[in-house]
mmCIF file of all heavy atoms in Angstrom:
data_model
loop_
_atom_site.group_PDB
_atom_site.id
_atom_site.type_symbol
_atom_site.label_atom_id
_atom_site.label_comp_id
_atom_site.label_asym_id
_atom_site.label_seq_id
_atom_site.Cartn_x
_atom_site.Cartn_y
_atom_site.Cartn_z
ATOM 1 N N VAL P 1421 -215.184 79.865 45.967
ATOM 2 C CA VAL P 1421 -216.286 80.172 46.879
ATOM 3 C C VAL P 1421 -217.157 78.925 46.980
ATOM 4 O O VAL P 1421 -217.403 78.244 45.979
ATOM 5 C CB VAL P 1421 -217.102 81.370 46.377
ATOM 6 C CG1 VAL P 1421 -218.379 81.545 47.191
ATOM 7 C CG2 VAL P 1421 -216.266 82.637 46.429
ATOM 8 N N TYR P 1422 -217.612 78.644 48.185
ATOM 9 C CA TYR P 1422 -218.406 77.447 48.447
ATOM 10 C C TYR P 1422 -219.826 77.822 48.881
ATOM 11 O O TYR P 1422 -220.048 78.869 49.493
ATOM 12 C CB TYR P 1422 -217.767 76.619 49.558
ATOM 13 C CG TYR P 1422 -216.332 76.257 49.304
ATOM 14 C CD1 TYR P 1422 -215.304 76.997 49.882
ATOM 15 C CD2 TYR P 1422 -216.005 75.180 48.494
ATOM 16 C CE1 TYR P 1422 -213.980 76.666 49.646
ATOM 17 C CE2 TYR P 1422 -214.675 74.846 48.255
ATOM 18 C CZ TYR P 1422 -213.674 75.592 48.833
ATOM 19 O OH TYR P 1422 -212.368 75.263 48.596
ATOM 20 N N LEU P 1423 -220.742 76.927 48.585
ATOM 21 C CA LEU P 1423 -222.094 77.039 49.119
ATOM 22 C C LEU P 1423 -222.433 75.690 49.738
ATOM 23 O O LEU P 1423 -222.653 74.709 49.018
ATOM 24 C CB LEU P 1423 -223.104 77.408 48.037
ATOM 25 C CG LEU P 1423 -224.535 77.624 48.535
ATOM 26 C CD1 LEU P 1423 -224.602 78.892 49.405
ATOM 27 C CD2 LEU P 1423 -225.516 77.737 47.373
ATOM 28 N N GLN P 1424 -222.410 75.659 51.066
ATOM 29 C CA GLN P 1424 -222.776 74.450 51.798
ATOM 30 C C GLN P 1424 -224.289 74.449 51.980
ATOM 31 O O GLN P 1424 -224.842 75.403 52.547
ATOM 32 C CB GLN P 1424 -222.079 74.412 53.157
ATOM 33 C CG GLN P 1424 -222.478 73.235 54.034
ATOM 34 C CD GLN P 1424 -222.007 71.911 53.477
ATOM 35 O OE1 GLN P 1424 -220.896 71.791 52.998
ATOM 36 N NE2 GLN P 1424 -222.868 70.883 53.565
ATOM 37 N N MET P 1425 -224.925 73.397 51.509
ATOM 38 C CA MET P 1425 -226.386 73.326 51.550
ATOM 39 C C MET P 1425 -226.796 72.138 52.413
ATOM 40 O O MET P 1425 -226.512 70.984 52.072
ATOM 41 C CB MET P 1425 -226.946 73.180 50.135
ATOM 42 C CG MET P 1425 -226.506 74.292 49.201
ATOM 43 S SD MET P 1425 -227.204 74.164 47.549
ATOM 44 C CE MET P 1425 -226.294 72.743 46.939
ATOM 45 N N ASP P 1426 -227.417 72.430 53.521
ATOM 46 C CA ASP P 1426 -227.875 71.393 54.460
ATOM 47 C C ASP P 1426 -229.397 71.377 54.524
ATOM 48 O O ASP P 1426 -230.060 72.344 54.160
ATOM 49 C CB ASP P 1426 -227.301 71.673 55.849
ATOM 50 C CG ASP P 1426 -225.795 71.631 55.875
ATOM 51 O OD1 ASP P 1426 -225.213 70.738 55.220
ATOM 52 O OD2 ASP P 1426 -225.184 72.477 56.549
ATOM 53 N N ASN P 1427 -229.924 70.259 55.017
ATOM 54 C CA ASN P 1427 -231.373 70.110 55.152
ATOM 55 C C ASN P 1427 -232.088 70.496 53.858
ATOM 56 O O ASN P 1427 -233.033 71.288 53.861
ATOM 57 C CB ASN P 1427 -231.887 70.956 56.319
ATOM 58 C CG ASN P 1427 -233.316 70.635 56.697
ATOM 59 O OD1 ASN P 1427 -233.826 69.566 56.373
ATOM 60 N ND2 ASN P 1427 -233.974 71.568 57.375
ATOM 61 N N LEU P 1428 -231.619 69.934 52.768
ATOM 62 C CA LEU P 1428 -232.160 70.284 51.460
ATOM 63 C C LEU P 1428 -233.608 69.836 51.308
ATOM 64 O O LEU P 1428 -234.032 68.818 51.874
ATOM 65 C CB LEU P 1428 -231.295 69.668 50.358
ATOM 66 C CG LEU P 1428 -229.990 70.426 50.095
ATOM 67 C CD1 LEU P 1428 -228.974 69.537 49.401
ATOM 68 C CD2 LEU P 1428 -230.264 71.671 49.273
ATOM 69 N N ARG P 1429 -234.333 70.620 50.541
ATOM 70 C CA ARG P 1429 -235.753 70.378 50.285
ATOM 71 C C ARG P 1429 -235.973 70.208 48.787
ATOM 72 O O ARG P 1429 -235.195 70.744 47.982
ATOM 73 C CB ARG P 1429 -236.580 71.556 50.788
ATOM 74 C CG ARG P 1429 -236.369 71.898 52.253
ATOM 75 C CD ARG P 1429 -236.967 73.244 52.586
ATOM 76 N NE ARG P 1429 -236.786 73.605 53.990
ATOM 77 C CZ ARG P 1429 -237.020 74.823 54.478
ATOM 78 N NH1 ARG P 1429 -237.457 75.784 53.673
ATOM 79 N NH2 ARG P 1429 -236.819 75.056 55.770
ATOM 80 N N PRO P 1430 -237.037 69.544 48.382
ATOM 81 C CA PRO P 1430 -237.312 69.413 46.942
ATOM 82 C C PRO P 1430 -237.400 70.756 46.235
ATOM 83 O O PRO P 1430 -236.993 70.872 45.064
ATOM 84 C CB PRO P 1430 -238.647 68.669 46.921
ATOM 85 C CG PRO P 1430 -238.636 67.847 48.169
ATOM 86 C CD PRO P 1430 -237.946 68.700 49.189
ATOM 87 N N GLU P 1431 -237.872 71.772 46.929
ATOM 88 C CA GLU P 1431 -237.991 73.099 46.300
ATOM 89 C C GLU P 1431 -236.635 73.779 46.097
ATOM 90 O O GLU P 1431 -236.570 74.840 45.476
ATOM 91 C CB GLU P 1431 -238.920 74.007 47.109
ATOM 92 C CG GLU P 1431 -238.549 74.148 48.561
ATOM 93 C CD GLU P 1431 -239.349 73.201 49.463
ATOM 94 O OE1 GLU P 1431 -239.570 72.034 49.055
ATOM 95 O OE2 GLU P 1431 -239.732 73.637 50.569
ATOM 96 N N ASP P 1432 -235.560 73.189 46.585
ATOM 97 C CA ASP P 1432 -234.213 73.701 46.318
ATOM 98 C C ASP P 1432 -233.692 73.212 44.976
ATOM 99 O O ASP P 1432 -232.617 73.633 44.526
ATOM 100 C CB ASP P 1432 -233.243 73.271 47.412
ATOM 101 C CG ASP P 1432 -233.572 73.880 48.767
ATOM 102 O OD1 ASP P 1432 -233.901 75.075 48.814
ATOM 103 O OD2 ASP P 1432 -233.489 73.147 49.767
ATOM 104 N N THR P 1433 -234.417 72.317 44.331
ATOM 105 C CA THR P 1433 -234.003 71.797 43.027
ATOM 106 C C THR P 1433 -233.921 72.919 42.006
ATOM 107 O O THR P 1433 -234.882 73.662 41.808
ATOM 108 C CB THR P 1433 -234.990 70.720 42.540
ATOM 109 O OG1 THR P 1433 -234.935 69.599 43.441
ATOM 110 C CG2 THR P 1433 -234.651 70.261 41.137
ATOM 111 N N ALA P 1434 -232.760 73.047 41.371
ATOM 112 C CA ALA P 1434 -232.527 74.132 40.409
ATOM 113 C C ALA P 1434 -231.123 73.992 39.837
ATOM 114 O O ALA P 1434 -230.318 73.193 40.324
ATOM 115 C CB ALA P 1434 -232.665 75.494 41.087
ATOM 116 N N VAL P 1435 -230.849 74.793 38.827
ATOM 117 C CA VAL P 1435 -229.469 74.991 38.387
ATOM 118 C C VAL P 1435 -228.904 76.133 39.226
ATOM 119 O O VAL P 1435 -229.523 77.200 39.311
ATOM 120 C CB VAL P 1435 -229.391 75.321 36.893
ATOM 121 C CG1 VAL P 1435 -227.940 75.574 36.488
ATOM 122 C CG2 VAL P 1435 -229.977 74.183 36.066
ATOM 123 N N TYR P 1436 -227.765 75.893 39.818
ATOM 124 C CA TYR P 1436 -227.127 76.887 40.676
ATOM 125 C C TYR P 1436 -225.975 77.550 39.921
ATOM 126 O O TYR P 1436 -225.110 76.860 39.371
ATOM 127 C CB TYR P 1436 -226.622 76.235 41.958
ATOM 128 C CG TYR P 1436 -227.734 75.960 42.938
ATOM 129 C CD1 TYR P 1436 -228.687 74.981 42.684
ATOM 130 C CD2 TYR P 1436 -227.864 76.701 44.103
ATOM 131 C CE1 TYR P 1436 -229.725 74.748 43.567
ATOM 132 C CE2 TYR P 1436 -228.895 76.475 44.998
ATOM 133 C CZ TYR P 1436 -229.822 75.498 44.727
ATOM 134 O OH TYR P 1436 -230.863 75.279 45.603
ATOM 135 N N TYR P 1437 -225.985 78.877 39.924
ATOM 136 C CA TYR P 1437 -224.990 79.668 39.230
ATOM 137 C C TYR P 1437 -224.210 80.527 40.229
ATOM 138 O O TYR P 1437 -224.800 81.076 41.161
ATOM 139 C CB TYR P 1437 -225.650 80.613 38.240
ATOM 140 C CG TYR P 1437 -226.457 79.960 37.157
ATOM 141 C CD1 TYR P 1437 -227.814 79.693 37.339
ATOM 142 C CD2 TYR P 1437 -225.877 79.623 35.938
ATOM 143 C CE1 TYR P 1437 -228.567 79.103 36.336
ATOM 144 C CE2 TYR P 1437 -226.623 79.034 34.926
ATOM 145 C CZ TYR P 1437 -227.962 78.772 35.132
ATOM 146 O OH TYR P 1437 -228.702 78.198 34.135
ATOM 147 N N CYS P 1438 -222.918 80.659 39.991
ATOM 148 C CA CYS P 1438 -222.181 81.658 40.743
ATOM 149 C C CYS P 1438 -221.883 82.841 39.832
ATOM 150 O O CYS P 1438 -221.841 82.705 38.598
ATOM 151 C CB CYS P 1438 -220.898 81.093 41.364
ATOM 152 S SG CYS P 1438 -219.617 80.639 40.198
ATOM 153 N N ALA P 1439 -221.692 83.980 40.454
ATOM 154 C CA ALA P 1439 -221.424 85.209 39.725
ATOM 155 C C ALA P 1439 -220.459 86.050 40.533
ATOM 156 O O ALA P 1439 -220.423 85.944 41.770
ATOM 157 C CB ALA P 1439 -222.720 85.967 39.493
ATOM 158 N N SER P 1440 -219.690 86.878 39.841
ATOM 159 C CA SER P 1440 -218.739 87.713 40.571
ATOM 160 C C SER P 1440 -218.659 89.101 39.968
ATOM 161 O O SER P 1440 -219.029 89.332 38.800
ATOM 162 C CB SER P 1440 -217.347 87.055 40.592
ATOM 163 O OG SER P 1440 -216.673 87.235 39.357
ATOM 164 N N LYS P 1441 -218.153 90.009 40.792
ATOM 165 C CA LYS P 1441 -217.978 91.395 40.371
ATOM 166 C C LYS P 1441 -216.823 91.983 41.172
ATOM 167 O O LYS P 1441 -216.756 91.800 42.395
ATOM 168 C CB LYS P 1441 -219.243 92.210 40.637
ATOM 169 C CG LYS P 1441 -219.086 93.699 40.364
ATOM 170 C CD LYS P 1441 -220.335 94.465 40.714
ATOM 171 C CE LYS P 1441 -220.117 95.960 40.660
ATOM 172 N NZ LYS P 1441 -219.749 96.424 39.307
ATOM 173 N N ARG P 1442 -215.944 92.679 40.490
ATOM 174 C CA ARG P 1442 -214.859 93.343 41.208
ATOM 175 C C ARG P 1442 -215.448 94.465 42.063
ATOM 176 O O ARG P 1442 -216.266 95.252 41.592
ATOM 177 C CB ARG P 1442 -213.833 93.913 40.233
ATOM 178 C CG ARG P 1442 -212.563 94.349 40.918
ATOM 179 C CD ARG P 1442 -211.485 94.682 39.929
ATOM 180 N NE ARG P 1442 -211.830 95.847 39.127
ATOM 181 C CZ ARG P 1442 -211.004 96.414 38.252
ATOM 182 N NH1 ARG P 1442 -209.812 95.897 38.074
ATOM 183 N NH2 ARG P 1442 -211.372 97.453 37.564
ATOM 184 N N THR P 1443 -215.023 94.524 43.322
ATOM 185 C CA THR P 1443 -215.589 95.506 44.242
ATOM 186 C C THR P 1443 -214.486 96.138 45.074
ATOM 187 O O THR P 1443 -213.366 95.644 45.116
ATOM 188 C CB THR P 1443 -216.592 94.851 45.214
ATOM 189 O OG1 THR P 1443 -215.878 93.995 46.118
ATOM 190 C CG2 THR P 1443 -217.639 94.043 44.483
ATOM 191 N N ILE P 1444 -214.858 97.227 45.758
ATOM 192 C CA ILE P 1444 -213.963 97.771 46.767
ATOM 193 C C ILE P 1444 -214.240 97.071 48.084
ATOM 194 O O ILE P 1444 -215.234 96.356 48.223
ATOM 195 C CB ILE P 1444 -214.114 99.299 46.909
ATOM 196 C CG1 ILE P 1444 -215.560 99.667 47.327
ATOM 197 C CG2 ILE P 1444 -213.737 99.982 45.606
ATOM 198 C CD1 ILE P 1444 -215.739 101.163 47.582
ATOM 199 N N LEU P 1445 -213.363 97.285 49.056
ATOM 200 C CA LEU P 1445 -213.398 96.468 50.261
ATOM 201 C C LEU P 1445 -214.639 96.688 51.110
ATOM 202 O O LEU P 1445 -215.098 95.774 51.789
ATOM 203 C CB LEU P 1445 -212.141 96.744 51.084
ATOM 204 C CG LEU P 1445 -211.806 95.762 52.201
ATOM 205 C CD1 LEU P 1445 -211.656 94.356 51.641
ATOM 206 C CD2 LEU P 1445 -210.554 96.191 52.921
ATOM 207 N N THR P 1446 -215.219 97.881 51.085
ATOM 208 C CA THR P 1446 -216.245 98.224 52.067
ATOM 209 C C THR P 1446 -217.679 98.001 51.609
ATOM 210 O O THR P 1446 -218.601 98.224 52.380
ATOM 211 C CB THR P 1446 -216.100 99.707 52.465
ATOM 212 O OG1 THR P 1446 -216.174 100.507 51.281
ATOM 213 C CG2 THR P 1446 -214.771 99.938 53.170
ATOM 214 N N VAL P 1447 -217.909 97.556 50.383
ATOM 215 C CA VAL P 1447 -219.291 97.404 49.939
ATOM 216 C C VAL P 1447 -219.904 96.150 50.534
ATOM 217 O O VAL P 1447 -219.212 95.158 50.768
ATOM 218 C CB VAL P 1447 -219.384 97.357 48.404
ATOM 219 C CG1 VAL P 1447 -218.908 98.659 47.803
ATOM 220 C CG2 VAL P 1447 -218.623 96.177 47.840
ATOM 221 N N PRO P 1448 -221.214 96.166 50.786
ATOM 222 C CA PRO P 1448 -221.899 94.975 51.293
ATOM 223 C C PRO P 1448 -222.087 93.948 50.176
ATOM 224 O O PRO P 1448 -221.833 94.257 49.008
ATOM 225 C CB PRO P 1448 -223.244 95.534 51.772
ATOM 226 C CG PRO P 1448 -223.469 96.729 50.919
ATOM 227 C CD PRO P 1448 -222.102 97.315 50.674
ATOM 228 N N PRO P 1449 -222.548 92.761 50.516
ATOM 229 C CA PRO P 1449 -222.772 91.748 49.471
ATOM 230 C C PRO P 1449 -223.842 92.201 48.481
ATOM 231 O O PRO P 1449 -224.851 92.791 48.864
ATOM 232 C CB PRO P 1449 -223.251 90.527 50.247
ATOM 233 C CG PRO P 1449 -222.890 90.774 51.658
ATOM 234 C CD PRO P 1449 -222.851 92.235 51.849
ATOM 235 N N TYR P 1450 -223.633 91.892 47.196
ATOM 236 C CA TYR P 1450 -224.633 92.222 46.188
ATOM 237 C C TYR P 1450 -225.682 91.124 46.117
ATOM 238 O O TYR P 1450 -225.352 89.957 45.970
ATOM 239 C CB TYR P 1450 -223.973 92.346 44.817
ATOM 240 C CG TYR P 1450 -223.032 93.513 44.680
ATOM 241 C CD1 TYR P 1450 -221.660 93.321 44.610
ATOM 242 C CD2 TYR P 1450 -223.503 94.816 44.609
ATOM 243 C CE1 TYR P 1450 -220.784 94.381 44.476
ATOM 244 C CE2 TYR P 1450 -222.637 95.889 44.479
ATOM 245 C CZ TYR P 1450 -221.279 95.657 44.414
ATOM 246 O OH TYR P 1450 -220.417 96.708 44.282
ATOM 247 N N ILE P 1451 -226.950 91.506 46.173
ATOM 248 C CA ILE P 1451 -228.024 90.510 46.070
ATOM 249 C C ILE P 1451 -228.777 90.610 44.749
ATOM 250 O O ILE P 1451 -229.612 89.770 44.443
ATOM 251 C CB ILE P 1451 -229.011 90.614 47.252
ATOM 252 C CG1 ILE P 1451 -229.731 91.959 47.226
ATOM 253 C CG2 ILE P 1451 -228.280 90.445 48.583
ATOM 254 C CD1 ILE P 1451 -230.834 92.042 48.272
ATOM 255 N N ASP P 1452 -228.455 91.636 43.968
ATOM 256 C CA ASP P 1452 -229.124 91.854 42.691
ATOM 257 C C ASP P 1452 -228.296 91.220 41.579
ATOM 258 O O ASP P 1452 -227.112 91.531 41.420
ATOM 259 C CB ASP P 1452 -229.275 93.357 42.451
ATOM 260 C CG ASP P 1452 -229.904 93.645 41.096
ATOM 261 O OD1 ASP P 1452 -230.523 92.726 40.518
ATOM 262 O OD2 ASP P 1452 -229.788 94.789 40.623
ATOM 263 N N ALA P 1453 -228.920 90.339 40.782
ATOM 264 C CA ALA P 1453 -228.194 89.659 39.700
ATOM 265 C C ALA P 1453 -227.596 90.643 38.712
ATOM 266 O O ALA P 1453 -226.519 90.394 38.155
ATOM 267 C CB ALA P 1453 -229.125 88.692 38.976
ATOM 268 N N GLY P 1454 -228.273 91.764 38.494
ATOM 269 C CA GLY P 1454 -227.799 92.755 37.551
ATOM 270 C C GLY P 1454 -226.511 93.443 37.977
ATOM 271 O O GLY P 1454 -225.861 94.098 37.157
ATOM 272 N N SER P 1455 -226.114 93.280 39.236
ATOM 273 C CA SER P 1455 -224.882 93.898 39.726
ATOM 274 C C SER P 1455 -223.634 93.130 39.306
ATOM 275 O O SER P 1455 -222.531 93.640 39.379
ATOM 276 C CB SER P 1455 -224.907 93.990 41.251
ATOM 277 O OG SER P 1455 -225.975 94.802 41.692
ATOM 278 N N TYR P 1456 -223.792 91.886 38.897
ATOM 279 C CA TYR P 1456 -222.652 91.014 38.643
ATOM 280 C C TYR P 1456 -222.169 91.081 37.202
ATOM 281 O O TYR P 1456 -222.947 91.254 36.275
ATOM 282 C CB TYR P 1456 -222.998 89.572 39.024
ATOM 283 C CG TYR P 1456 -223.075 89.399 40.523
ATOM 284 C CD1 TYR P 1456 -224.283 89.543 41.207
ATOM 285 C CD2 TYR P 1456 -221.920 89.128 41.262
ATOM 286 C CE1 TYR P 1456 -224.335 89.420 42.589
ATOM 287 C CE2 TYR P 1456 -221.970 88.990 42.636
ATOM 288 C CZ TYR P 1456 -223.181 89.135 43.303
ATOM 289 O OH TYR P 1456 -223.227 89.019 44.661
ATOM 290 N N GLU P 1457 -220.844 90.922 37.059
ATOM 291 C CA GLU P 1457 -220.207 91.019 35.742
ATOM 292 C C GLU P 1457 -219.956 89.668 35.094
ATOM 293 O O GLU P 1457 -220.028 89.528 33.876
ATOM 294 C CB GLU P 1457 -218.860 91.726 35.881
ATOM 295 C CG GLU P 1457 -218.947 93.153 36.408
ATOM 296 C CD GLU P 1457 -217.564 93.723 36.674
ATOM 297 O OE1 GLU P 1457 -216.970 93.367 37.711
ATOM 298 O OE2 GLU P 1457 -217.084 94.507 35.843
ATOM 299 N N TYR P 1458 -219.602 88.685 35.909
ATOM 300 C CA TYR P 1458 -219.177 87.400 35.377
ATOM 301 C C TYR P 1458 -220.060 86.293 35.940
ATOM 302 O O TYR P 1458 -220.420 86.326 37.116
ATOM 303 C CB TYR P 1458 -217.718 87.119 35.744
ATOM 304 C CG TYR P 1458 -216.783 88.221 35.327
ATOM 305 C CD1 TYR P 1458 -216.281 89.127 36.250
ATOM 306 C CD2 TYR P 1458 -216.409 88.348 33.990
ATOM 307 C CE1 TYR P 1458 -215.432 90.140 35.861
ATOM 308 C CE2 TYR P 1458 -215.553 89.360 33.593
ATOM 309 C CZ TYR P 1458 -215.073 90.254 34.528
ATOM 310 O OH TYR P 1458 -214.234 91.259 34.132
ATOM 311 N N TRP P 1459 -220.362 85.332 35.081
ATOM 312 C CA TRP P 1459 -221.246 84.235 35.465
ATOM 313 C C TRP P 1459 -220.648 82.898 35.034
ATOM 314 O O TRP P 1459 -220.009 82.797 33.995
ATOM 315 C CB TRP P 1459 -222.616 84.389 34.796
ATOM 316 C CG TRP P 1459 -223.418 85.513 35.352
ATOM 317 C CD1 TRP P 1459 -223.324 86.836 35.017
ATOM 318 C CD2 TRP P 1459 -224.422 85.437 36.363
ATOM 319 N NE1 TRP P 1459 -224.209 87.579 35.756
ATOM 320 C CE2 TRP P 1459 -224.904 86.737 36.587
ATOM 321 C CE3 TRP P 1459 -224.980 84.378 37.092
ATOM 322 C CZ2 TRP P 1459 -225.913 87.029 37.511
ATOM 323 C CZ3 TRP P 1459 -225.980 84.651 38.009
ATOM 324 C CH2 TRP P 1459 -226.439 85.967 38.215
ATOM 325 N N GLY P 1460 -220.913 81.879 35.853
ATOM 326 C CA GLY P 1460 -220.554 80.524 35.469
ATOM 327 C C GLY P 1460 -221.666 79.889 34.654
ATOM 328 O O GLY P 1460 -222.710 80.496 34.416
ATOM 329 N N GLN P 1461 -221.432 78.648 34.250
ATOM 330 C CA GLN P 1461 -222.392 77.925 33.413
ATOM 331 C C GLN P 1461 -223.456 77.202 34.235
ATOM 332 O O GLN P 1461 -224.469 76.761 33.674
ATOM 333 C CB GLN P 1461 -221.657 76.924 32.525
ATOM 334 C CG GLN P 1461 -220.764 77.581 31.499
ATOM 335 C CD GLN P 1461 -221.544 78.493 30.584
ATOM 336 O OE1 GLN P 1461 -222.520 78.090 29.943
ATOM 337 N NE2 GLN P 1461 -221.144 79.761 30.507
ATOM 338 N N GLY P 1462 -223.238 77.061 35.510
ATOM 339 C CA GLY P 1462 -224.245 76.445 36.367
ATOM 340 C C GLY P 1462 -223.986 74.980 36.658
ATOM 341 O O GLY P 1462 -223.311 74.286 35.896
#
């Protein structure tokens, strides 16, 4: 999975983490961190 970041601003400075969760096909994207099962190191 990719995150293309354009027109970056100083306030975008951070450690960026990806997370994933097994889902069924029809669910919308999860926006709550607590919904995710697996996390990267950033």
